[in-house]
Amino acid sequence: MTLKLQDTSGKVLSGPKLVWTLIRGFRLKYLWAAISLFIATAFQFVVPLIGSATIDYALTSEPNSSEPILRHIIDLLGGSSLVSENLWIPGVAMLGFAALGGVFNYFQKLAAAKASDGICKRLKDQLYDHIQRLTNSYLDGSQTGDLVQRCTSDVETTRIFLAAHIVEIGRGLILIVTVLPIMLSMHVGLTVASMALIPVIILYSYLYIKKVKHLFTQVDEAEGRLTSVVQENITGIRVVRAFGRHDYEIEKFEKPNSEYRDTSIKLIGIMSWFWSVSDIASLTQIGIALVASSYLAIQGSVSVGTIFAFLALMNMVLWPVRMIGRILTDFGKTSVALQRINEILTQPFETESDQVEIQPDSPSQGFIEMKEVSFSHNEGTPTVNGINLRVEPGETLAILGPSGSGKTTLMHLLLRFYDVDKGSITLDGHDLRTLDRAYLRAQFGVVLQEPFLYSRSIASNIKLGVESTDQKDIEEAARMACIHDAITDFADGYDTEIGEKGITLSGGQRQRVAISRALLRNPPVLLLDDALSAVDNETESSIIEALQKRRGKRTTIVIAHRLSTLAHADKIVVMEGGKITQSGNHETLRTEQGLYQRLWNIQTQLETILAEETEAKAEN
């Protein structure tokens, strides 16, 4: 079940509407919690009334109360004579009703806890699912730590409110609705004296929450920035140590940590004032009730038992009224948390499109064509500009160019991480913008520029995205990527657990595991984005030889800086400044003036120098 935290106009819900929407699907549990709460409260009412009846009818020689409720209670206990001779009876009765109230309080808290945990599990599931589908543009501009904060801390804030304070609101309403008539029936004047400051406390609580609500946002945002710094530092801890950046990182952490501390202290300071004032108001209310009841008792207008009942009932009402401030505080925090959560849930999925998405019945043939393709990030300078390119089925295309020339962006556009701003890209004649993303990405095996491995076994990483496969296929893919022998050297072989992002493997091993993963899918199109940059020349030659066996069968697009990686390609394009400046095969481009020839001459000279130095060392 999907939660929508905004109305039809897109405005974020608030107040009772927000709560009612949140508990959808769990309203029966909250109903049971409300029923249990009502029963528990009823039992709690009886306890002070038994005490009051005992004082007025059993502990005095002559009854000094004419309250029908108290007379009825003493009659149910066996009459004043029996009770006065057996004072254990009201004691046991009070204990029994208190115990029953405790039992139903347990049922109420259990139901509320199950409901709140269920709601928050659903909310986390929805958030996680939504984040998986968000556009790359949104994710590029978001801090990982802040997203984690919204999915954990903000959801936990919501859970606490749903588990405790919804019930407390119900308790307060039940107490006011039920206790007030009982007190009025016993004595109107004393009721007014006992409730005089309660409206003031409620009004003060409302004004307080209006004042501090913006601080909850500031605290949440400060905590999000703090989490982002911690997450980033732990992820890059090796870089920090390698460059001796400990002091810098500590200083960088100190700023968001201080901001979080300062905003938290400011909020706590205001909350301290609130609790102090509300405590004074509550104690003043008790004092007013004591003075009024004492005066009326001296006047003979009320009995001691009535005073006992009034003070007990007033305290029962006063505590939840005093808790209104905490409830409103947590509701304010919850509202802010839900607004932050809703900011994620209202972001559009990357699959949302104005065009109808289709899913062809058969796998792709691997025919790719780009016509006047242009794209820029955030409406800036175009990363690629006016690209025209045609890749035939089974053809191997190599792309060369300096950093920032737009090579990787082309890969991202092929995978529809982003959609083109101008022009079109087609796969087998279908515009990518009309293709279902799941179908489209299933046609590609991808090794990204920075291969990502999960903290799982090597086998699990290789077979990622392949629904069913056997060990033989996994090992064959690993052999093609020249990683099989290295894996078998590990103590646990393919079952070896690697650290987060494959940290226990070398850079070259991570690349080769990622290549194995792409090859295992046996896709119509293989995309290699600088996938051999961390392997040695001998390993590179072996991998290229394995890839050449696919030549003519599967389309392959390779991005690389080593010309030895590109030389075998059917077609090579050179990109500079987001445009294609040269196109041809290796033999053509190495004799044509341009970037390719310059790089070829440099690399050839370096190889010659290295060969001469190696020969000289061998002779010596």
Side-chain angles (χ1 to χ4, degrees), residues 50-349:
I50 291 175
S52 179
T54 303
I55 292 172
D56 280 353
Y57 285 90
L59 297 182
T60 57
S61 55
E62 295 182 5
N64 55 0
S65 174
S66 59
E67 299 296 338
I69 295 176
L70 302 184
R71 288 202 308 270
H72 187 59
I73 288 174
I74 206 69
D75 290 339
L76 289 175
L77 293 175
S80 58
S81 299
L82 178 64
V83 171
S84 62
E85 295 174 1
N86 300 276
L87 290 177
W88 59 269
I89 294 177
V92 170
M94 292 171 73
L95 182 62
F97 281 111
L100 287 172
V103 169
F104 279 94
N105 263 328
Y106 166 78
F107 289 144
Q108 164 257 306
K109 291 184 181 298
L110 181 64
K114 285 183 176 181
S116 62
D117 285 347
I119 291 168
C120 289
K121 178 186 180 301
R122 179 178 63 189
L123 198 54
K124 287 180 180 178
D125 288 342
Q126 186 175 342
L127 275 169
Y128 190 80
D129 177 73
H130 201 96
I131 288 174
Q132 305 306 306
R133 303 168 186 267
L134 287 175
T135 63
N136 280 275
S137 299
Y138 177 80
L139 294 173
D140 291 344
S142 301
Q143 293 184 322
T144 303
D146 186 60
L147 292 177
V148 171
Q149 172 82 9
R150 297 183 191 217
C151 294
T152 53
S153 180
D154 286 343
V155 175
E156 179 63 14
T157 297
T158 303
R159 187 198 66 79
I160 291 172
F161 176 79
L162 293 174
H165 297 314
I166 284 185
V167 175
E168 287 300 325
I169 292 172
R171 185 190 301 276
L173 292 174
I174 290 173
L175 285 170
I176 291 173
V177 170
T178 54
V179 170
L180 195 58
I182 294 174
M183 295 175 73
L184 286 171
S185 68
M186 297 174 72
H187 198 284
V188 175
L190 191 52
T191 300
V192 172
S194 300
M195 300 289 178
L197 294 183
I198 287 180
V200 176
I201 296 174
I202 294 174
L203 177 61
Y204 173 65
S205 299
Y206 173 76
L207 295 175
Y208 159 77
I209 194 62
K210 294 286 285 186
K211 181 176 177 60
V212 302
K213 189 174 180 180
H214 70 283
L215 285 177
F216 298 137
T217 303
Q218 293 178 14
V219 170
D220 264 6
E221 290 176 349
E223 189 176 0
R225 289 191 292 271
L226 182 64
T227 304
S228 294
V229 172
V230 173
Q231 182 270 334
E232 186 179 54
N233 179 269
I234 293 174
T235 301
I237 192 65
R238 291 194 174 192
V239 175
V240 173
R241 291 175 177 175
F243 285 87
R245 301 282 284 178
H246 304 84
D247 294 339
Y248 172 80
E249 289 296 324
I250 291 172
E251 290 178 6
K252 189 175 79 171
F253 175 78
E254 185 176 336
K255 182 180 178 180
N257 195 24
S258 297
E259 288 178 354
Y260 179 60
R261 177 203 61 194
D262 293 341
T263 52
S264 296
I265 289 175
K266 185 176 180 180
L267 177 61
I268 291 170
I270 296 176
M271 289 176 66
S272 298
W273 272 103
F274 169 78
W275 288 115
S276 299
V277 173
S278 62
D279 279 346
I280 292 172
S282 298
L283 292 172
T284 302
Q285 177 61 80
I286 294 172
I288 291 172
L290 282 172
V291 171
S293 59
S294 299
Y295 174 79
L296 292 173
I298 293 172
Q299 297 295 319
S301 301
V302 296
S303 64
V304 176
T306 301
I307 294 174
F308 176 84
F310 256 90
L311 293 177
L313 293 173
M314 183 190 66
N315 279 322
M316 290 175 66
V317 174
L318 197 58
W319 172 250
V321 167
R322 182 176 175 270
M323 286 295 292
I324 286 176
R326 182 177 293 276
I327 293 170
L328 290 175
T329 298
D330 285 344
F331 182 71
K333 292 167 64 177
T334 302
S335 297
V336 170
L338 288 171
Q339 286 176 0
R340 284 165 49 81
I341 290 170
N342 195 55
E343 286 175 9
I344 295 177
L345 296 180
T346 53
Q347 292 298 321
F349 290 160

Side-chain angles (χ1 to χ4, degrees), residues 339-476:
Q339 286 176 0
R340 284 165 49 81
I341 290 170
N342 195 55
E343 286 175 9
I344 295 177
L345 296 180
T346 53
Q347 292 298 321
F349 290 160
E350 66 168 1
T351 51
E352 292 181 359
S353 174
D354 294 334
Q355 302 184 52
V356 177
E357 294 193 343
I358 60 174
Q359 182 169 334
D361 297 329
S362 58
S364 168
Q365 298 302 307
F367 172 45
I368 297 170
E369 188 171 16
M370 301 183 184
K371 295 181 179 178
E372 295 297 328
V373 171
S374 296
F375 172 79
S376 62
H377 292 280
N378 300 320
E379 300 181 356
T381 303
T383 310
V384 294
N385 191 7
I387 299 294
N388 289 286
L389 191 60
R390 183 184 178 96
V391 187
E392 300 292 341
E395 190 174 49
T396 297
L397 170 71
I399 304 176
L400 174 71
S403 298
S405 59
K407 306 182 301 296
T408 298
T409 300
L410 283 184
M411 292 285 196
H412 291 171
L413 293 174
L414 280 171
L415 294 166
R416 280 196 73 192
F417 288 168
Y418 311 97
D419 283 330
V420 298
D421 295 333
K422 296 179 182 178
S424 65
I425 303 177
T426 60
L427 179 65
D428 299 336
H430 298 291
D431 192 309
L432 297 191
R433 289 169 292 188
T434 67
L435 291 175
D436 176 73
R437 275 187 168 90
Y439 165 82
L440 173 65
R441 290 167 185 170
Q443 310 311 306
F444 293 95
V446 185
V447 183
L448 297 173
Q449 194 172 28
E450 299 176 1
F452 182 91
L453 300 181
Y454 290 90
S455 183
R456 304 174 186 170
S457 69
I458 294 175
S460 296
N461 273 284
I462 293 177
K463 65 183 181 182
L464 183 73
V466 180
E467 293 183 2
S468 61
T469 187
D470 55 32
Q471 187 65 23
K472 181 180 177 181
D473 293 333
I474 293 174
E475 292 180 6
E476 179 60 27

